[in-house]
Amino acid sequence: MHAAWKLLTIFALGVAELWAAAPAGALMGFHPLLVCVVAALGAVSGGTVVVLLGERVKAWLQKRRRDEKMEKKGGLLYRVWLRYGVIGWGLLAPLLVGSPLGAAFGLALGAHPRRLLAWLAAGSILWSVVFSLVSALGWRLLGH
């Protein structure tokens, strides 16, 4: 597979499931720093697109009442939102649901778009670093 396609795959995994991007990059033989940057760019890009679509995404979610389902379940996601607000949400959403869905839920719950995006970016970078380090260390321990 050509390097550009591999990097695009890591980017797409960063958008969809950040936790999967770093192990995939390690398996593809890329340097952990490159994997970290590409995966974080993917996650931040996915969240940015959702925030830029803003009101349309919010209306779509509210129409389908996903925010009410999240609230009724009293699940982890809603508890994070209630307890830690946009900061906690932004830092944990890339890990728990991914940046795009985290952005959508954050908007539906009333987060200010710029503040939400800043904390989602911080969370995406944080988890990208963590997963890249863990993947690199694991790969090294396996003798590769």
Side-chain angles (χ1 to χ4, degrees):
M1 185 187 276
H2 191 267
W5 285 109
K6 289 179 180 180
L7 289 171
L8 185 59
T9 300
I10 295 167
F11 181 88
L13 284 170
V15 172
E17 296 290 347
L18 184 58
W19 59 267
L27 287 171
M28 292 177 197
F30 287 111
H31 190 277
L33 182 59
L34 178 62
V35 172
C36 179
V37 169
V38 172
L41 285 173
V44 172
S45 297
T48 300
V49 167
V50 172
V51 169
L52 290 176
L53 293 175
E55 288 303 316
R56 285 186 244 158
V57 171
K58 185 177 178 179
W60 178 81
L61 272 176
Q62 287 175 336
K63 183 178 178 183
R64 283 155 181 76
R65 301 177 136 183
R66 295 225 178 159
D67 53 337
E68 288 178 1
K69 287 180 185 175
M70 189 167 68
E71 181 178 348
K72 285 180 186 174
K73 289 181 182 175
L76 174 64
L77 301 179
Y78 194 68
R79 287 194 316 261
V80 167
W81 177 258
L82 288 178
R83 185 163 186 158
Y84 302 107
V86 75
I87 295 171
W89 184 258
L91 292 175
L92 289 174
L95 170 67
L96 300 175
V97 296
S99 290
L101 194 54
F105 281 142
L107 290 172
L109 291 168
H112 185 273
R114 283 190 196 154
R115 191 162 187 235
L116 176 63
L117 186 56
W119 285 107
L120 279 172
S124 297
I125 292 166
L126 167 74
W127 291 112
S128 183
V129 168
V130 168
F131 292 133
S132 294
L133 286 173
V134 169
S135 295
L137 290 173
W139 198 242
R140 189 169 254 189
L141 287 173
L142 290 172
H144 295 280

Short mmCIF file of all heavy atoms in Angstrom, two decimals, residues 76-144:
data_model
loop_
_atom_site.label_atom_id
_atom_site.label_comp_id
_atom_site.label_asym_id
_atom_site.label_seq_id
_atom_site.Cartn_x
_atom_site.Cartn_y
_atom_site.Cartn_z
N LEU A 76 -22.80 7.41 31.25
CA LEU A 76 -21.51 8.05 31.46
C LEU A 76 -21.42 9.38 30.70
O LEU A 76 -20.95 10.37 31.25
CB LEU A 76 -20.39 7.11 31.02
CG LEU A 76 -18.98 7.70 31.06
CD1 LEU A 76 -18.60 8.03 32.49
CD2 LEU A 76 -17.99 6.74 30.44
N LEU A 77 -21.87 9.39 29.47
CA LEU A 77 -21.74 10.60 28.65
C LEU A 77 -22.48 11.78 29.28
O LEU A 77 -21.93 12.88 29.39
CB LEU A 77 -22.26 10.35 27.24
CG LEU A 77 -21.57 9.23 26.48
CD1 LEU A 77 -22.20 9.07 25.11
CD2 LEU A 77 -20.09 9.47 26.37
N TYR A 78 -23.69 11.54 29.68
CA TYR A 78 -24.46 12.64 30.26
C TYR A 78 -23.90 13.05 31.62
O TYR A 78 -23.88 14.22 31.96
CB TYR A 78 -25.94 12.26 30.37
CG TYR A 78 -26.81 13.45 30.65
CD1 TYR A 78 -26.98 14.45 29.68
CD2 TYR A 78 -27.44 13.62 31.86
CE1 TYR A 78 -27.76 15.56 29.92
CE2 TYR A 78 -28.22 14.73 32.12
CZ TYR A 78 -28.37 15.69 31.15
OH TYR A 78 -29.13 16.80 31.40
N ARG A 79 -23.42 12.09 32.40
CA ARG A 79 -22.82 12.41 33.69
C ARG A 79 -21.55 13.25 33.51
O ARG A 79 -21.29 14.16 34.29
CB ARG A 79 -22.52 11.14 34.48
CG ARG A 79 -23.77 10.48 35.02
CD ARG A 79 -23.47 9.44 36.08
NE ARG A 79 -22.37 8.55 35.77
CZ ARG A 79 -22.49 7.32 35.27
NH1 ARG A 79 -23.68 6.83 35.01
NH2 ARG A 79 -21.43 6.58 35.05
N VAL A 80 -20.76 12.93 32.49
CA VAL A 80 -19.57 13.73 32.20
C VAL A 80 -20.00 15.16 31.88
O VAL A 80 -19.41 16.13 32.38
CB VAL A 80 -18.76 13.13 31.02
CG1 VAL A 80 -17.72 14.11 30.51
CG2 VAL A 80 -18.09 11.83 31.45
N TRP A 81 -21.03 15.29 31.06
CA TRP A 81 -21.50 16.63 30.68
C TRP A 81 -21.97 17.40 31.92
O TRP A 81 -21.61 18.56 32.11
CB TRP A 81 -22.63 16.54 29.66
CG TRP A 81 -23.18 17.88 29.33
CD1 TRP A 81 -24.32 18.44 29.78
CD2 TRP A 81 -22.57 18.85 28.49
NE1 TRP A 81 -24.47 19.70 29.28
CE2 TRP A 81 -23.40 19.98 28.48
CE3 TRP A 81 -21.39 18.88 27.75
CZ2 TRP A 81 -23.11 21.12 27.76
CZ3 TRP A 81 -21.09 20.03 27.02
CH2 TRP A 81 -21.95 21.13 27.03
N LEU A 82 -22.78 16.78 32.75
CA LEU A 82 -23.30 17.47 33.93
C LEU A 82 -22.21 17.83 34.92
O LEU A 82 -22.22 18.90 35.51
CB LEU A 82 -24.35 16.59 34.64
CG LEU A 82 -25.69 16.45 33.94
CD1 LEU A 82 -26.59 15.51 34.74
CD2 LEU A 82 -26.35 17.79 33.75
N ARG A 83 -21.29 16.94 35.12
CA ARG A 83 -20.28 17.15 36.16
C ARG A 83 -19.13 18.06 35.72
O ARG A 83 -18.66 18.90 36.48
CB ARG A 83 -19.71 15.82 36.60
CG ARG A 83 -18.77 15.98 37.75
CD ARG A 83 -18.53 14.69 38.44
NE ARG A 83 -17.72 14.94 39.62
CZ ARG A 83 -17.66 14.16 40.64
NH1 ARG A 83 -18.37 13.07 40.67
NH2 ARG A 83 -16.89 14.45 41.66
N TYR A 84 -18.66 17.89 34.48
CA TYR A 84 -17.45 18.59 34.05
C TYR A 84 -17.67 19.64 32.97
O TYR A 84 -16.74 20.33 32.59
CB TYR A 84 -16.40 17.59 33.59
CG TYR A 84 -16.05 16.59 34.66
CD1 TYR A 84 -16.48 15.27 34.58
CD2 TYR A 84 -15.32 16.97 35.78
CE1 TYR A 84 -16.18 14.35 35.56
CE2 TYR A 84 -15.00 16.05 36.77
CZ TYR A 84 -15.44 14.74 36.66
OH TYR A 84 -15.15 13.84 37.63
N GLY A 85 -18.87 19.71 32.44
CA GLY A 85 -19.18 20.72 31.43
C GLY A 85 -18.39 20.53 30.14
O GLY A 85 -17.94 19.44 29.81
N VAL A 86 -18.21 21.61 29.45
CA VAL A 86 -17.59 21.55 28.12
C VAL A 86 -16.12 21.14 28.20
O VAL A 86 -15.62 20.47 27.29
CB VAL A 86 -17.78 22.89 27.37
CG1 VAL A 86 -16.88 23.97 27.90
CG2 VAL A 86 -17.57 22.70 25.87
N ILE A 87 -15.44 21.47 29.28
CA ILE A 87 -14.03 21.09 29.40
C ILE A 87 -13.89 19.58 29.52
O ILE A 87 -13.14 18.94 28.77
CB ILE A 87 -13.36 21.81 30.60
CG1 ILE A 87 -13.33 23.32 30.35
CG2 ILE A 87 -11.96 21.28 30.83
CD1 ILE A 87 -12.90 24.14 31.54
N GLY A 88 -14.60 19.00 30.45
CA GLY A 88 -14.55 17.56 30.61
C GLY A 88 -15.05 16.82 29.39
O GLY A 88 -14.50 15.80 28.97
N TRP A 89 -16.12 17.36 28.82
CA TRP A 89 -16.69 16.76 27.61
C TRP A 89 -15.65 16.77 26.49
O TRP A 89 -15.43 15.76 25.82
CB TRP A 89 -17.94 17.51 27.18
CG TRP A 89 -18.60 16.88 26.01
CD1 TRP A 89 -18.53 17.30 24.72
CD2 TRP A 89 -19.38 15.70 26.00
NE1 TRP A 89 -19.24 16.45 23.93
CE2 TRP A 89 -19.76 15.46 24.68
CE3 TRP A 89 -19.78 14.81 27.00
CZ2 TRP A 89 -20.55 14.37 24.32
CZ3 TRP A 89 -20.56 13.73 26.63
CH2 TRP A 89 -20.93 13.53 25.31
N GLY A 90 -15.03 17.91 26.29
CA GLY A 90 -14.05 18.05 25.21
C GLY A 90 -12.85 17.14 25.39
O GLY A 90 -12.31 16.61 24.43
N LEU A 91 -12.44 16.96 26.64
CA LEU A 91 -11.28 16.11 26.90
C LEU A 91 -11.61 14.62 26.80
O LEU A 91 -10.76 13.82 26.39
CB LEU A 91 -10.69 16.42 28.27
CG LEU A 91 -10.04 17.80 28.41
CD1 LEU A 91 -9.60 18.04 29.84
CD2 LEU A 91 -8.87 17.96 27.45
N LEU A 92 -12.83 14.23 27.15
CA LEU A 92 -13.18 12.81 27.16
C LEU A 92 -13.92 12.33 25.91
O LEU A 92 -13.84 11.15 25.57
CB LEU A 92 -14.01 12.48 28.40
CG LEU A 92 -13.23 12.50 29.70
CD1 LEU A 92 -14.17 12.30 30.88
CD2 LEU A 92 -12.15 11.43 29.69
N ALA A 93 -14.65 13.20 25.24
CA ALA A 93 -15.44 12.77 24.09
C ALA A 93 -14.60 12.11 22.99
O ALA A 93 -15.04 11.11 22.42
CB ALA A 93 -16.25 13.94 23.52
N PRO A 94 -13.40 12.62 22.65
CA PRO A 94 -12.63 11.93 21.62
C PRO A 94 -12.31 10.48 21.98
O PRO A 94 -12.22 9.62 21.10
CB PRO A 94 -11.34 12.76 21.51
CG PRO A 94 -11.74 14.12 21.97
CD PRO A 94 -12.76 13.87 23.06
N LEU A 95 -12.17 10.20 23.24
CA LEU A 95 -11.91 8.84 23.71
C LEU A 95 -13.19 8.01 23.71
O LEU A 95 -13.21 6.87 23.26
CB LEU A 95 -11.31 8.87 25.12
CG LEU A 95 -11.19 7.53 25.84
CD1 LEU A 95 -10.16 6.65 25.14
CD2 LEU A 95 -10.81 7.74 27.28
N LEU A 96 -14.27 8.57 24.22
CA LEU A 96 -15.50 7.81 24.46
C LEU A 96 -16.36 7.62 23.21
O LEU A 96 -16.88 6.53 23.00
CB LEU A 96 -16.32 8.48 25.55
CG LEU A 96 -15.64 8.61 26.92
CD1 LEU A 96 -16.51 9.41 27.88
CD2 LEU A 96 -15.33 7.24 27.48
N VAL A 97 -16.54 8.67 22.43
CA VAL A 97 -17.44 8.57 21.26
C VAL A 97 -16.83 9.09 19.97
O VAL A 97 -17.46 9.02 18.92
CB VAL A 97 -18.78 9.31 21.52
CG1 VAL A 97 -19.55 8.66 22.64
CG2 VAL A 97 -18.57 10.79 21.79
N GLY A 98 -15.64 9.66 20.03
CA GLY A 98 -15.02 10.27 18.85
C GLY A 98 -15.35 11.75 18.78
O GLY A 98 -16.38 12.20 19.30
N SER A 99 -14.48 12.49 18.13
CA SER A 99 -14.66 13.94 18.06
C SER A 99 -15.91 14.38 17.30
O SER A 99 -16.61 15.28 17.76
CB SER A 99 -13.43 14.59 17.43
OG SER A 99 -12.36 14.51 18.32
N PRO A 100 -16.23 13.78 16.15
CA PRO A 100 -17.44 14.25 15.45
C PRO A 100 -18.72 14.06 16.27
O PRO A 100 -19.51 14.99 16.40
CB PRO A 100 -17.47 13.40 14.18
CG PRO A 100 -16.06 13.00 13.96
CD PRO A 100 -15.49 12.83 15.33
N LEU A 101 -18.90 12.89 16.83
CA LEU A 101 -20.09 12.65 17.63
C LEU A 101 -20.04 13.46 18.93
O LEU A 101 -21.06 13.97 19.39
CB LEU A 101 -20.23 11.16 17.94
CG LEU A 101 -21.58 10.70 18.48
CD1 LEU A 101 -22.72 11.13 17.56
CD2 LEU A 101 -21.59 9.19 18.64
N GLY A 102 -18.85 13.60 19.49
CA GLY A 102 -18.70 14.44 20.68
C GLY A 102 -19.07 15.89 20.39
O GLY A 102 -19.72 16.55 21.21
N ALA A 103 -18.69 16.37 19.22
CA ALA A 103 -19.05 17.74 18.83
C ALA A 103 -20.57 17.86 18.65
O ALA A 103 -21.18 18.83 19.10
CB ALA A 103 -18.33 18.13 17.54
N ALA A 104 -21.16 16.86 18.01
CA ALA A 104 -22.61 16.90 17.78
C ALA A 104 -23.37 16.91 19.10
O ALA A 104 -24.28 17.73 19.30
CB ALA A 104 -23.03 15.71 16.92
N PHE A 105 -23.01 16.00 20.01
CA PHE A 105 -23.69 15.97 21.30
C PHE A 105 -23.44 17.24 22.10
O PHE A 105 -24.34 17.76 22.75
CB PHE A 105 -23.26 14.76 22.13
CG PHE A 105 -23.92 13.47 21.72
CD1 PHE A 105 -23.20 12.30 21.73
CD2 PHE A 105 -25.24 13.43 21.33
CE1 PHE A 105 -23.80 11.09 21.37
CE2 PHE A 105 -25.85 12.24 20.96
CZ PHE A 105 -25.13 11.07 20.99
N GLY A 106 -22.20 17.73 22.06
CA GLY A 106 -21.89 18.96 22.78
C GLY A 106 -22.72 20.13 22.29
O GLY A 106 -23.25 20.92 23.09
N LEU A 107 -22.88 20.26 20.98
CA LEU A 107 -23.72 21.32 20.42
C LEU A 107 -25.17 21.14 20.84
O LEU A 107 -25.85 22.09 21.19
CB LEU A 107 -23.61 21.34 18.90
CG LEU A 107 -22.28 21.81 18.32
CD1 LEU A 107 -22.25 21.60 16.81
CD2 LEU A 107 -22.00 23.27 18.67
N ALA A 108 -25.65 19.90 20.76
CA ALA A 108 -27.04 19.63 21.12
C ALA A 108 -27.31 19.94 22.59
O ALA A 108 -28.42 20.32 22.96
CB ALA A 108 -27.39 18.18 20.83
N LEU A 109 -26.29 19.79 23.42
CA LEU A 109 -26.45 20.06 24.84
C LEU A 109 -26.21 21.53 25.20
O LEU A 109 -26.28 21.91 26.36
CB LEU A 109 -25.52 19.16 25.65
CG LEU A 109 -25.92 17.68 25.61
CD1 LEU A 109 -24.81 16.81 26.18
CD2 LEU A 109 -27.22 17.45 26.36
N GLY A 110 -25.89 22.34 24.19
CA GLY A 110 -25.80 23.78 24.41
C GLY A 110 -24.41 24.36 24.56
O GLY A 110 -24.27 25.51 24.98
N ALA A 111 -23.38 23.61 24.22
CA ALA A 111 -22.02 24.14 24.34
C ALA A 111 -21.78 25.24 23.31
O ALA A 111 -22.31 25.19 22.20
CB ALA A 111 -21.00 23.01 24.13
N HIS A 112 -20.99 26.23 23.69
CA HIS A 112 -20.58 27.28 22.76
C HIS A 112 -19.63 26.65 21.73
O HIS A 112 -18.66 25.99 22.13
CB HIS A 112 -19.90 28.42 23.51
CG HIS A 112 -19.57 29.58 22.63
ND1 HIS A 112 -18.41 29.65 21.90
CD2 HIS A 112 -20.28 30.69 22.34
CE1 HIS A 112 -18.40 30.77 21.21
NE2 HIS A 112 -19.53 31.42 21.46
N PRO A 113 -19.88 26.83 20.44
CA PRO A 113 -19.09 26.14 19.41
C PRO A 113 -17.58 26.34 19.51
O PRO A 113 -16.82 25.38 19.41
CB PRO A 113 -19.64 26.69 18.10
CG PRO A 113 -21.02 27.11 18.43
CD PRO A 113 -20.97 27.59 19.85
N ARG A 114 -17.12 27.56 19.69
CA ARG A 114 -15.66 27.80 19.74
C ARG A 114 -15.02 27.13 20.95
O ARG A 114 -13.96 26.54 20.86
CB ARG A 114 -15.36 29.30 19.77
CG ARG A 114 -15.50 29.95 18.43
CD ARG A 114 -14.96 31.35 18.49
NE ARG A 114 -15.43 32.08 17.32
CZ ARG A 114 -15.59 33.36 17.27
NH1 ARG A 114 -15.29 34.11 18.32
NH2 ARG A 114 -16.01 33.95 16.17
N ARG A 115 -15.68 27.26 22.07
CA ARG A 115 -15.15 26.66 23.30
C ARG A 115 -15.16 25.13 23.18
O ARG A 115 -14.20 24.47 23.57
CB ARG A 115 -15.98 27.12 24.49
CG ARG A 115 -15.37 26.76 25.80
CD ARG A 115 -15.96 27.58 26.92
NE ARG A 115 -15.20 27.30 28.13
CZ ARG A 115 -15.74 26.88 29.25
NH1 ARG A 115 -17.03 26.74 29.35
NH2 ARG A 115 -14.98 26.63 30.30
N LEU A 116 -16.23 24.59 22.63
CA LEU A 116 -16.33 23.15 22.44
C LEU A 116 -15.22 22.66 21.53
O LEU A 116 -14.53 21.68 21.83
CB LEU A 116 -17.69 22.79 21.86
CG LEU A 116 -17.92 21.32 21.50
CD1 LEU A 116 -17.85 20.45 22.74
CD2 LEU A 116 -19.26 21.17 20.79
N LEU A 117 -15.01 23.36 20.42
CA LEU A 117 -13.99 22.94 19.47
C LEU A 117 -12.59 23.01 20.08
O LEU A 117 -11.77 22.11 19.88
CB LEU A 117 -14.05 23.79 18.20
CG LEU A 117 -13.13 23.37 17.08
CD1 LEU A 117 -13.36 21.91 16.69
CD2 LEU A 117 -13.33 24.27 15.88
N ALA A 118 -12.32 24.04 20.86
CA ALA A 118 -11.00 24.16 21.50
C ALA A 118 -10.75 22.98 22.43
O ALA A 118 -9.66 22.39 22.42
CB ALA A 118 -10.91 25.48 22.27
N TRP A 119 -11.74 22.61 23.24
CA TRP A 119 -11.54 21.51 24.18
C TRP A 119 -11.56 20.15 23.49
O TRP A 119 -10.86 19.22 23.92
CB TRP A 119 -12.55 21.58 25.32
CG TRP A 119 -12.16 22.68 26.26
CD1 TRP A 119 -12.76 23.89 26.41
CD2 TRP A 119 -11.04 22.67 27.14
NE1 TRP A 119 -12.08 24.64 27.35
CE2 TRP A 119 -11.02 23.91 27.81
CE3 TRP A 119 -10.04 21.74 27.44
CZ2 TRP A 119 -10.04 24.24 28.75
CZ3 TRP A 119 -9.06 22.07 28.37
CH2 TRP A 119 -9.08 23.31 29.02
N LEU A 120 -12.34 20.01 22.41
CA LEU A 120 -12.28 18.77 21.63
C LEU A 120 -10.91 18.61 20.99
O LEU A 120 -10.37 17.50 20.93
CB LEU A 120 -13.36 18.76 20.55
CG LEU A 120 -14.75 18.38 20.99
CD1 LEU A 120 -15.74 18.61 19.86
CD2 LEU A 120 -14.82 16.94 21.47
N ALA A 121 -10.34 19.71 20.50
CA ALA A 121 -9.00 19.65 19.92
C ALA A 121 -7.98 19.25 20.98
O ALA A 121 -7.12 18.40 20.73
CB ALA A 121 -8.63 21.00 19.30
N ALA A 122 -8.09 19.84 22.16
CA ALA A 122 -7.17 19.48 23.25
C ALA A 122 -7.32 18.01 23.61
O ALA A 122 -6.32 17.30 23.79
CB ALA A 122 -7.44 20.36 24.47
N GLY A 123 -8.55 17.53 23.70
CA GLY A 123 -8.79 16.12 24.01
C GLY A 123 -8.28 15.20 22.91
O GLY A 123 -7.70 14.14 23.18
N SER A 124 -8.47 15.60 21.66
CA SER A 124 -7.99 14.80 20.53
C SER A 124 -6.47 14.68 20.54
O SER A 124 -5.92 13.61 20.31
CB SER A 124 -8.46 15.42 19.21
OG SER A 124 -9.86 15.41 19.13
N ILE A 125 -5.82 15.78 20.82
CA ILE A 125 -4.35 15.78 20.87
C ILE A 125 -3.88 14.93 22.06
O ILE A 125 -2.97 14.11 21.92
CB ILE A 125 -3.81 17.22 20.94
CG1 ILE A 125 -4.09 17.93 19.61
CG2 ILE A 125 -2.32 17.23 21.27
CD1 ILE A 125 -3.91 19.44 19.66
N LEU A 126 -4.50 15.13 23.20
CA LEU A 126 -4.14 14.36 24.40
C LEU A 126 -4.23 12.86 24.14
O LEU A 126 -3.28 12.12 24.38
CB LEU A 126 -5.05 14.74 25.56
CG LEU A 126 -4.99 13.82 26.78
CD1 LEU A 126 -3.70 14.05 27.56
CD2 LEU A 126 -6.19 14.03 27.68
N TRP A 127 -5.37 12.41 23.64
CA TRP A 127 -5.56 10.97 23.44
C TRP A 127 -4.72 10.44 22.29
O TRP A 127 -4.30 9.28 22.31
CB TRP A 127 -7.05 10.65 23.28
CG TRP A 127 -7.75 10.86 24.56
CD1 TRP A 127 -8.67 11.83 24.86
CD2 TRP A 127 -7.55 10.13 25.78
NE1 TRP A 127 -9.05 11.74 26.17
CE2 TRP A 127 -8.38 10.70 26.76
CE3 TRP A 127 -6.75 9.05 26.14
CZ2 TRP A 127 -8.43 10.22 28.07
CZ3 TRP A 127 -6.81 8.57 27.44
CH2 TRP A 127 -7.64 9.16 28.38
N SER A 128 -4.46 11.26 21.31
CA SER A 128 -3.58 10.84 20.22
C SER A 128 -2.17 10.59 20.75
O SER A 128 -1.52 9.60 20.40
CB SER A 128 -3.57 11.90 19.12
OG SER A 128 -2.79 11.47 18.04
N VAL A 129 -1.70 11.47 21.63
CA VAL A 129 -0.38 11.29 22.24
C VAL A 129 -0.36 10.02 23.09
O VAL A 129 0.55 9.19 22.98
CB VAL A 129 0.01 12.53 23.09
CG1 VAL A 129 1.22 12.24 23.97
CG2 VAL A 129 0.26 13.73 22.20
N VAL A 130 -1.38 9.85 23.91
CA VAL A 130 -1.44 8.67 24.79
C VAL A 130 -1.44 7.39 23.96
O VAL A 130 -0.66 6.47 24.21
CB VAL A 130 -2.68 8.73 25.71
CG1 VAL A 130 -2.92 7.39 26.40
CG2 VAL A 130 -2.54 9.86 26.73
N PHE A 131 -2.32 7.31 22.98
CA PHE A 131 -2.42 6.09 22.18
C PHE A 131 -1.16 5.84 21.35
O PHE A 131 -0.76 4.70 21.16
CB PHE A 131 -3.65 6.12 21.27
CG PHE A 131 -4.94 6.03 22.02
CD1 PHE A 131 -5.97 6.89 21.74
CD2 PHE A 131 -5.12 5.09 23.02
CE1 PHE A 131 -7.17 6.82 22.42
CE2 PHE A 131 -6.32 5.01 23.72
CZ PHE A 131 -7.35 5.88 23.42
N SER A 132 -0.54 6.89 20.86
CA SER A 132 0.69 6.73 20.09
C SER A 132 1.82 6.22 20.98
O SER A 132 2.59 5.34 20.57
CB SER A 132 1.09 8.05 19.43
OG SER A 132 0.13 8.41 18.46
N LEU A 133 1.93 6.76 22.19
CA LEU A 133 2.95 6.29 23.12
C LEU A 133 2.72 4.84 23.52
O LEU A 133 3.65 4.03 23.52
CB LEU A 133 3.00 7.17 24.37
CG LEU A 133 3.63 8.55 24.20
CD1 LEU A 133 3.45 9.37 25.48
CD2 LEU A 133 5.09 8.43 23.84
N VAL A 134 1.49 4.51 23.86
CA VAL A 134 1.18 3.14 24.26
C VAL A 134 1.43 2.17 23.11
O VAL A 134 2.00 1.09 23.30
CB VAL A 134 -0.28 3.04 24.76
CG1 VAL A 134 -0.72 1.60 24.92
CG2 VAL A 134 -0.43 3.79 26.08
N SER A 135 1.04 2.56 21.90
CA SER A 135 1.26 1.69 20.73
C SER A 135 2.75 1.51 20.46
O SER A 135 3.21 0.40 20.18
CB SER A 135 0.58 2.27 19.50
OG SER A 135 -0.81 2.27 19.67
N ALA A 136 3.51 2.60 20.54
CA ALA A 136 4.95 2.52 20.29
C ALA A 136 5.64 1.65 21.34
O ALA A 136 6.49 0.82 21.00
CB ALA A 136 5.56 3.91 20.27
N LEU A 137 5.27 1.83 22.60
CA LEU A 137 5.85 1.02 23.66
C LEU A 137 5.46 -0.45 23.52
O LEU A 137 6.30 -1.35 23.69
CB LEU A 137 5.44 1.55 25.03
CG LEU A 137 6.03 2.89 25.43
CD1 LEU A 137 5.40 3.39 26.74
CD2 LEU A 137 7.55 2.79 25.56
N GLY A 138 4.22 -0.69 23.20
CA GLY A 138 3.76 -2.07 23.00
C GLY A 138 4.47 -2.73 21.83
O GLY A 138 4.88 -3.88 21.90
N TRP A 139 4.64 -1.99 20.76
CA TRP A 139 5.32 -2.49 19.58
C TRP A 139 6.78 -2.83 19.90
O TRP A 139 7.31 -3.83 19.47
CB TRP A 139 5.20 -1.45 18.47
CG TRP A 139 5.48 -1.97 17.09
CD1 TRP A 139 6.48 -1.57 16.26
CD2 TRP A 139 4.74 -2.96 16.37
NE1 TRP A 139 6.40 -2.24 15.09
CE2 TRP A 139 5.34 -3.10 15.12
CE3 TRP A 139 3.62 -3.72 16.66
CZ2 TRP A 139 4.88 -3.99 14.15
CZ3 TRP A 139 3.15 -4.59 15.70
CH2 TRP A 139 3.79 -4.73 14.47
N ARG A 140 7.37 -1.94 20.69
CA ARG A 140 8.78 -2.15 21.08
C ARG A 140 8.92 -3.38 21.99
O ARG A 140 9.86 -4.16 21.88
CB ARG A 140 9.30 -0.91 21.77
CG ARG A 140 10.80 -0.95 22.00
CD ARG A 140 11.27 0.39 22.43
NE ARG A 140 11.98 0.97 21.28
CZ ARG A 140 12.67 2.06 21.34
NH1 ARG A 140 12.72 2.74 22.46
NH2 ARG A 140 13.30 2.52 20.30
N LEU A 141 7.97 -3.54 22.92
CA LEU A 141 7.99 -4.69 23.82
C LEU A 141 7.81 -6.03 23.06
O LEU A 141 8.32 -7.07 23.48
CB LEU A 141 6.93 -4.57 24.90
CG LEU A 141 7.18 -3.54 25.98
CD1 LEU A 141 5.99 -3.39 26.89
CD2 LEU A 141 8.42 -3.90 26.79
N LEU A 142 7.11 -5.96 21.96
CA LEU A 142 6.93 -7.15 21.13
C LEU A 142 8.14 -7.46 20.28
O LEU A 142 8.19 -8.46 19.60
CB LEU A 142 5.69 -6.98 20.22
CG LEU A 142 4.33 -7.01 20.94
CD1 LEU A 142 3.23 -6.65 19.97
CD2 LEU A 142 4.08 -8.36 21.57
N GLY A 143 9.13 -6.56 20.33
CA GLY A 143 10.38 -6.79 19.62
C GLY A 143 10.41 -6.32 18.19
O GLY A 143 11.18 -6.81 17.38
N HIS A 144 9.57 -5.36 17.85
CA HIS A 144 9.54 -4.85 16.47
C HIS A 144 10.19 -3.51 16.38
O HIS A 144 10.26 -2.72 17.18
CB HIS A 144 8.11 -4.77 15.96
CG HIS A 144 7.46 -6.10 15.85
ND1 HIS A 144 7.68 -6.92 14.79
CD2 HIS A 144 6.63 -6.78 16.68
CE1 HIS A 144 6.98 -8.04 14.96
NE2 HIS A 144 6.33 -7.96 16.11
#
